[in-house]
Amino acid sequence: MNAPITPHRPIQALPDQLISQIAAGEVVERPSAVVKELLENALDSGATQITVRLEEGGVKRIAITDNGRGIDKDQLPLALARHATSKIASLHDLENVGTLGFRGEALASIASVAAVTVTSRTADAAHAWEIVGSHNGTVAPSSGAPGTTVDVQDLYFNTPARRKFLKSEQTEYGHCAEVVRRIALARPDVSFSLSHNGRTIDQWNISELAKRSAHILGNDFAEARLALDETAGSLRLHGFAGLPTASKARADGQFFYVNGRFVRDKLLVHAVRMAYQDVLHGDRFPSYVLALDLDPSLVDVNVHPSKIEVRFRDSRSVHQFVFHAVQRALAQTSATAFGSVPAPLPAASSLGGDTGAGLGGPGMWRREQTQTSFGAQFTNTYAPPPAGGTRPFFADAPGAPHGVEQTTASYGALFAGSPSPITQVQPYVASAEAMAREEYPLGFALAQLHGIYILAQNTKGLVLVDMHAAHERILYEQLKNALQAQVSGQDMQVQALLIPVTFYADAIEVSTANENQETLKALGFDIAALSPTTLAVRSVPTLLKNADAQTLARDVLRDVREYGGSRVLIERQNELLGTLACHTAVRANRILSVQEMNALLRQMESTERADQCNHGRPTWVQVEISALDKLFLRGQ
């Protein structure tokens, strides 16, 4: 197609009105942009109470009233003039911006495409003053309380070409309401009121962030979030990170603020996403309300026309700080987040000393058979303990839950006086003192359900555990820690196979094994080619010694081939470890003894991120007594 021919014109200065209307294209994209600019000015004036009134989605009218400092009579014309502002006066001020608005264009640009009236009164003024139209308008006496009201009517009345690009009334209102929500979320110390077409839609009183975020984002977020507040030098990150199990299909629950300003910054979004990467499925989005405070001189907020993006002087440090802060918050579990994490479990050898016997001595569960996917398969025989002694359960394979000492004098306090209707178990009592201190947040096992779920009882009621998902998370964290320990100079613990496992392999698998020996060694695998069509697995990571060696080897070779040796250890590490953990975790229909179930519960309590598996699925849920009472209409 031929380009349109434009008439030749000489270079000339544009009239002020046209300059303002062109600038309005950046500042006044739609009614919500007007709401944003006016709200930021209200907050910069020190307001603690703001009222937003909209008509016809903000196209017909936007009126915002605040109780801030107000504007002096002789300053009102300047408020509507281009490039006039009280917020910056020098280059130093521009490099240390501490206010939300500062460009001095907003009101002038809005006034060029709408009918604007500004009414303001300072605390020491006898009455309010009003200016209509533009900076050329006349300042006249008016009535009003201390503060400022900016009334914007008939947006784009003089630029119909722009007005026709606006959407429906409801759509434009939705954008305006979203802006108010974002700003109200950042300032719980300010009360906000929002009305549309004469009807009050939302009202938020002065409160704390916990209450304001629950009000705006809903109870679902309030009941599934972790508080965080971390500081490093001049950086502080605080707010709430949503639990991975409460993730959403869209990213509409993500709110990030830098020095009180809502931003959608790629660096910050990436840092948070990385923190969630091994607890969240790839196509799900976490919810969060996070605020980053730092020295204004360390961030440039003037790199985007709508100030939605920022640039940090030391972006790497900011990224790492945000990443680690959120990651540490997610490392908590809801079972232990509000209490102390259990101490490391005692080793098997130290437990034996309490009864005066070794691993096979009196009072011990004796290991007699071979290993399976859940650490080790036990054929359990029982030798009665000495009077007052203990009956520990041991699973000494690294992949299994480790020793949990259970005194025969303690389980019955949980269900004293009546045997379990589901299964008969040996009495195992937790002392009243231990229960009162909630030393065991996940309680104690009662039975298995369909070979999939563990039923346990704690002080709050019933705990349901997905045993495969829980064990998968435990193994995943152990594998990740082992790989990270290797980076710091410690050797990966490997298990040499007495008889190497050989299997048929195609040419690509053989070449992948030959070309990536260093990567495989770093992961704890010794996979060697015996012939052009045969591979042998000679050793595997100790944590995975009970899994199928051939399946593990094929999975590792597939990922190494697909992503490359270096990338699979860095960028794809979590996916690979997740696959390995999934192969090794206890499977459905694996019958566990009560001791094995309790051992799994104890290890969950001492494992980071144990509330969900690495696919983002919950590993356990709590059903409180009150919920059970409601099901059976007790007390009604």
Side-chain angles (χ1 to χ4, degrees), residues 271-325:
V272 177
R273 186 72 183 175
M274 289 291 290
Y276 275 92
Q277 67 178 341
D278 64 349
V279 293
L280 199 63
H281 196 275
D283 60 356
R284 302 289 293 178
F285 296 91
S287 296
Y288 52 80
V289 178
L290 298 173
L292 177 65
D293 298 334
L294 72 165
D295 188 329
S297 65
L298 301 179
V299 57
D300 184 358
V301 298
N302 197 28
V303 297
H304 191 277
S306 63
K307 295 171 284 190
I308 199 73
E309 295 179 8
V310 294
R311 181 180 296 142
F312 298 100
R313 179 169 295 180
D314 189 350
S315 58
R316 179 176 177 81
S317 295
V318 171
H319 182 282
Q320 290 299 98
F321 170 67
V322 172
F323 165 68
H324 287 296

Side-chain angles (χ1 to χ4, degrees), residues 43 47-49 184 186-192 205-208 212:
L43 291 172
T48 59
Q49 183 177 336
R187 294 296 302 269
D189 58 326
V190 178
S191 68
F192 292 84
N205 297 323
I206 294 175
S207 60
E208 297 179 346
R212 178 67 61 84

